[in-house]
Amino acid sequence: MTASSDFGLEANVAPEEHVVCEHADRCGGCPLIEMPYGEQLAHKRGRVVQSISRYPSLEFLYTEPVASANALVGYRTRAKLIVAGDGKLGLFAKGGGHQVVDIPHCRVLTPILARVATHLREQIAASERSGGPLVPFDPMGRGWLRAIDLREVREDDSPRVLVTFVVEQSRLSDAGALRQAAEDLLKAIPAVVGVAANFHVGDTPQVLGGETVPLAGVASAPDRIGGSTHFATFGSFTQAHRDQARRLHSLLVEAMELSRPLERKRRILDLYGGSGAIAIALAQAGASVRLVEAFAPAASQARAAASDQALDIETECADVAGALRNLSDRREQFDAAVVNPPRRGTSPAAREWLARVDPSIIAYVSCDPETLARDLDHFARLGYATTSLRPLDMIPLTEEVETLAVLRRGGVPTPRLLYENAEVLVVEKGPHEPTTPQGEYASSLLMRARRLPGADQAVPVHRLDVGTSGLVIFARHPEYVNKWANVLLDPSTRKIYVAAVRGVTPAKGAIARELREDGKQYAARTRYRRLAVASGQSVLRVVPDQGRTHQIRRHMAAIGHPVLGDDRYGHPQTNRYFEEKNALDRAFLHCVRLEFDDPNTRVRHIIEAPLPGDLRAVLERISGTGTLRFLDHKSALGTSGVSTVPPKPDEFGNERSPLDVDPLTVTVRPQLTDDDDERTGGAS
């Protein structure tokens, strides 16, 4: 029995096949190994569907069945293996933590990688016993070898291997001995053609550091995928499954419309292009390609491979966002773009500038369904609608799924309208979107709101920061702005936010801290109630009594609990961790609720906008579904709708809900600091 993918490509693995491995009960590398293959594919498709379903902008998007792999064992051409004491070379154990499971005879490594791993395991054990050059890193102060990065390359039927020693830079005391170990490895296993050292620095979640130095043998080697050959180098990205990578290249050629006769050569951007495998496949299909890659060794190898094969590829070593900005400033035009970012997805700036470059087609290759969905939602606000989602099983037996999304340029959508009357509109602002036009942003909430019926002269009554999402009031005409601005100043009006902050706060509190703006001091008070604790971080309901610039962000930072993801007042190391591990690419701050009395009818309105998909995904990643279920059950994360029936007043006449902040909470008064205002933004 064969499993067939939705792409017309057949796999020769029966869905019922089970892979048996002696390490399956302990090793965390293949978490789906005990599941029948057909169920694995359904599970992976479910991951994509679930991620997409969090976003209303993507609700009608169909996820195709996962393209099955034609090999479940002996397929993996790249492996980052962790080094530990007692000669262990393997992966972290199931259940989290940092216990390393030794995995000799690993079923998924290609035969040559398995052979090299066996030899290195023996050398590590010998070094640990005798004090040789490959002593495992010990947090208590001994050794420097943290990991081994293995990469198989093939130009013909003879596989070769590039090996990278990942060492703790501050511990390495004998570089000469490490170089000798590299030369010994070349002699012991002729298939190993190059060895390098990569320097890991500090407590970073990434295995590889930013600097790599060749130690022995070649600095790169040719690697053939399908009909294209690129030059692989140490630490550069590659797809783990060679046959599935070939399929992906074919799908990209199809998505770029290179498989049909064209009147002229298509010009294509290849972003996060690595060593050029995709760019070479596109150029061989007839495209003119500009590749952008920040990792200098990979960009250099892409340039060399293009020159060696006389392909129309221009290579730039640069940060993707910066390169796109320069292309936009020069008004360079491209027919299409391929985006193949790391797991954390594209940066908000890269998405903005890519929309400015304005290709008609974007093919987005993702290894993380949650960052993919987050980015597709942003692209939708920038005018790019996703037309297809094609998942591939790039790493069988694991939770991982590769997805190719094809986006096409269309119209910028209007914002979701949550309330309107003759004078105002209340709409939902997305993250990474300025309330009013700003030069570096391709669109704005104002531009989108003015496309709503009867809103062509709309003006914002208040603003939210670019990274903050939630409710914004627009006056239909400028003459209504002052009237409704006074509504927001009324003591009975409340803007309520959901925020996640660093560390565990008190259960409730109030922060009274004067804020300086333009050299002047202004009174400001912010109240909060802790709703939940998720993996050591606090989820809060926050009410600013005033609307000072960045009031919530500045006040929470002042008491030592900055908003997660806040790049101005936040904690840089925590922000970096949450971006890398939990897909948080903006401040965790959302205006979830507005309460005000209509100045014309005196009817009180309560308007809510639910917590958006990207922040829900972050909560789920850090604490599972339990925190989300609890907060949803308490109606703490907002629902989409309007109510004119207020909560029952408390004994002070204030309208309250069970999760509301307490008007009489203890006040913290942090010392006034220097002027740290910003000229744009709102209370968030």
Side-chain angles (χ1 to χ4, degrees):
M1 181 176 180
T2 60
S4 61
S5 78
D6 205 44
F7 310 147
L9 298 169
E10 291 189 345
N12 57 16
V13 177
E16 295 82 7
E17 179 177 341
H18 281 87
V19 175
V20 178
C21 176
E22 61 185 286
H23 311 296
D25 60 333
R26 294 173 292 117
C27 176
C30 298
L32 304 186
I33 193 169
E34 296 180 357
M35 187 182 293
Y37 190 48
E39 292 183 16
Q40 293 183 36
L41 298 179
H43 174 80
K44 295 188 180 196
R45 183 172 185 264
R47 283 197 63 202
V48 180
V49 171
Q50 181 183 21
S51 298
I52 294 298
S53 68
R54 294 191 179 103
Y55 299 88
S57 66
L58 309 174
E59 62 182 334
F60 298 116
L61 189 56
Y62 175 70
T63 302
E64 299 184 18
V66 179
S68 58
N70 61 1
L72 302 188
V73 297
Y75 71 84
R76 186 147 190 155
T77 61
R78 173 85 181 274
K80 299 175 186 176
L81 302 177
I82 309 301
V83 176
D86 300 325
K88 292 179 180 177
L89 182 62
L91 300 174
F92 290 125
K94 289 181 177 179
H98 289 82
Q99 181 182 358
V100 177
V101 176
D102 195 28
I103 52 171
H105 318 298
C106 173
R107 297 294 312 280
V108 298
L109 295 182
T110 62
I112 187 60
L113 292 193
R115 181 185 169 198
V116 174
T118 297
H119 177 82
L120 287 171
R121 184 176 287 105
E122 295 169 354
Q123 296 302 307
I124 292 167
S127 291
E128 190 173 20
R129 291 192 301 269
S130 61
L134 301 182
V135 180
F137 173 84
D138 181 347
M140 302 305 294
R142 180 171 179 264
W144 54 72
L145 186 64
R146 280 183 169 268
I148 303 287
D149 184 6
L150 303 177
R151 167 79 180 270
E152 181 198 89
V153 295
R154 283 179 177 265
E155 188 178 17
D156 46 35
D157 292 334
S158 300
R160 296 173 176 82
V161 181
L162 298 175
V163 177
T164 305
F165 296 142
V166 182
V167 300
E168 183 65 28
Q169 188 170 29
S170 62
R171 296 274 191 87
L172 183 61
S173 59
D174 191 349
L178 191 65
R179 191 176 299 277
Q180 183 60 54
E183 293 174 352
D184 291 345
L185 180 59
L186 293 181
K187 295 176 183 177
I189 304 181
V192 175
V193 293
V195 183
N198 174 268
F199 298 110
H200 184 282
V201 179
D203 188 19
T204 172
Q206 295 179 320
V207 174
L208 295 177
E211 182 183 1
T212 301
V213 177
L215 297 175
V218 302
S220 65
D223 192 17
R224 188 173 185 84
I225 298 176
S228 63
T229 300
H230 66 284
F231 291 156
T233 190
F234 305 101
S236 61
F237 171 77
T238 186
Q239 300 289 1
H241 200 298
R242 193 177 300 276
D243 287 340
Q244 291 292 73
R246 174 184 57 81
R247 291 184 177 191
L248 177 62
H249 292 181
S250 298
L251 290 171
L252 286 169
V253 168
E254 176 187 323
M256 300 292 98
E257 300 180 346
L258 299 172
S259 56
R260 59 183 178 83
L262 300 172
E263 295 180 358
R264 61 176 179 82
K265 179 176 280 193
R266 293 179 66 79
R267 196 168 187 224
I268 298 175
L269 265 173
D270 180 17
L271 306 175
Y272 311 93
S275 300
I278 289 175
I280 290 169
L282 297 176
Q284 288 182 333
S288 173
V289 183
R290 183 182 183 94
L291 179 148
V292 179
E293 169 56 47
F295 184 51
S300 176
Q301 296 306 320
R303 187 179 300 111
S307 175
D308 185 66
Q309 299 172 68
L311 295 172
D312 187 359
I313 299 175
E314 183 180 1
T315 302
E316 178 180 2
C317 181
D319 170 72
V320 167
L324 287 170
R325 179 169 189 163
N326 291 335
L327 292 174
S328 176
D329 290 344
R330 296 197 300 266
R331 301 184 183 278
E332 293 200 36
Q333 296 183 338
F334 294 86
D335 298 291
V338 175
V339 183
N340 187 16
R343 185 172 300 278
R344 64 179 177 272
T346 60
S347 69
R351 301 193 293 266
E352 286 286 343
W353 287 110
L354 181 54
R356 289 290 190 94
V357 172
D358 199 30
S360 59
I361 300 172
I362 298 174
Y364 192 128
V365 181
S366 169
C367 61
D368 188 317
E370 289 169 354
T371 57
L372 171 66
R374 179 200 68 193
D375 293 357
L376 295 184
D377 177 63
H378 188 192
F379 275 120
R381 290 192 297 278
L382 296 171
Y384 282 89
T386 305
T387 59
S388 67
L389 281 179
R390 297 178 169 182
L392 299 91
D393 191 15
M394 189 67 70
I395 313 180
L397 311 181
T398 73
E399 293 274 358
E400 309 306 325
V401 55
E402 198 86 2
T403 306
L404 171 60
V406 178
L407 295 72
R408 295 184 181 274
R409 184 177 54 208
V412 175
T414 57
R416 183 157 55 160
L417 178 63
L418 297 172
Y419 172 79
E420 64 177 325
N421 63 27
E423 296 179 353
V424 295
L425 312 151
V426 180
V427 300
E428 185 176 11
K429 175 188 165 311
H432 312 301
E433 177 178 45
T435 304
T436 56
Q438 295 183 24
E440 66 269 35
Y441 292 93
S443 182
S444 70
L445 183 63
L446 176 61
M447 292 170 58
R448 297 200 298 130
R450 284 183 171 177
R451 299 181 63 238
L452 290 165
D456 57 312
Q457 297 185 65
V459 180
V461 177
H462 67 110
R463 302 181 183 185
L464 295 179
D465 293 333
V466 170
T468 303
S469 55
L471 297 164
V472 178
I473 301 176
F474 282 85
R476 289 187 183 272
H477 192 276
E479 66 180 278
Y480 300 126
V481 171
N482 289 337
K483 179 180 180 178
W484 283 87
N486 289 330
V487 170
L488 291 180
L489 293 174
D490 190 289
S492 67
T493 296
R494 296 195 306 171
K495 290 187 287 185
I496 301 175
Y497 293 77
V498 172
V501 302
R502 183 173 185 262
V504 180
T505 68
K508 58 185 178 180
I511 307 160
R513 178 201 180 207
E514 293 181 321
L515 299 177
R516 285 189 177 128
E517 298 177 13
D518 297 321
K520 298 180 181 179
Q521 291 182 197
Y522 297 92
R525 184 169 184 258
T526 300
R527 294 172 288 140
Y528 69 86
R529 178 182 291 273
R530 193 181 70 220
L531 303 176
V533 175
S535 294
Q537 321 301 326
S538 299
V539 182
L540 310 178
R541 172 164 281 195
V542 186
V543 178
D545 289 348
Q546 295 79 24
R548 307 302 180 199
T549 300
H550 300 172
Q551 179 172 326
I552 293 173
R553 294 161 57 192
R554 294 161 75 178
H555 272 175
M556 295 313 302
I559 64 169
H561 296 288
V563 174
L564 298 177
D566 182 357
D567 59 2
R568 184 176 176 90
Y569 309 105
H571 187 261
Q573 291 80 9
T574 301
N575 290 348
R576 184 164 59 250
Y577 177 85
F578 268 78
E579 182 179 10
E580 292 284 348
K581 292 296 186 180
N582 300 311
L584 181 63
D585 67 351
R586 50 112 164 187
F588 196 118
L589 195 57
H590 175 71
C591 183
V592 70
R593 180 166 170 153
L594 285 174
E595 300 177 6
F596 59 85
D597 294 328
D598 188 303
N600 301 311
T601 66
R602 307 314 302 170
V603 171
R604 188 162 184 82
H605 293 287
I606 301 171
I607 306 167
E608 291 191 336
L611 194 73
D614 64 326
L615 301 187
R616 293 183 70 89
V618 170
L619 283 181
E620 187 165 342
R621 284 175 87 135
I622 65 176
S623 61
T625 59
T627 300
L628 276 175
R629 285 200 302 267
F630 169 77
L631 294 175
D632 281 333
H633 178 71
K634 296 293 186 181
S635 300
L637 303 181
T639 58
S640 185
V642 178
S643 173
T644 57
V645 181
K648 183 179 179 180
D650 65 6
E651 64 269 30
F652 303 102
N654 299 309
E655 296 168 356
R656 303 289 298 280
S657 73
L659 292 169
D660 207 352
V661 297
D662 189 337
L664 299 180
T665 49
V666 176
T667 297
V668 178
R669 298 181 181 275
Q671 184 178 359
L672 181 67
T673 59
D674 292 339
D675 190 334
D676 56 1
D677 70 301
E678 190 170 308
R679 300 301 187 268
T680 60
S684 57

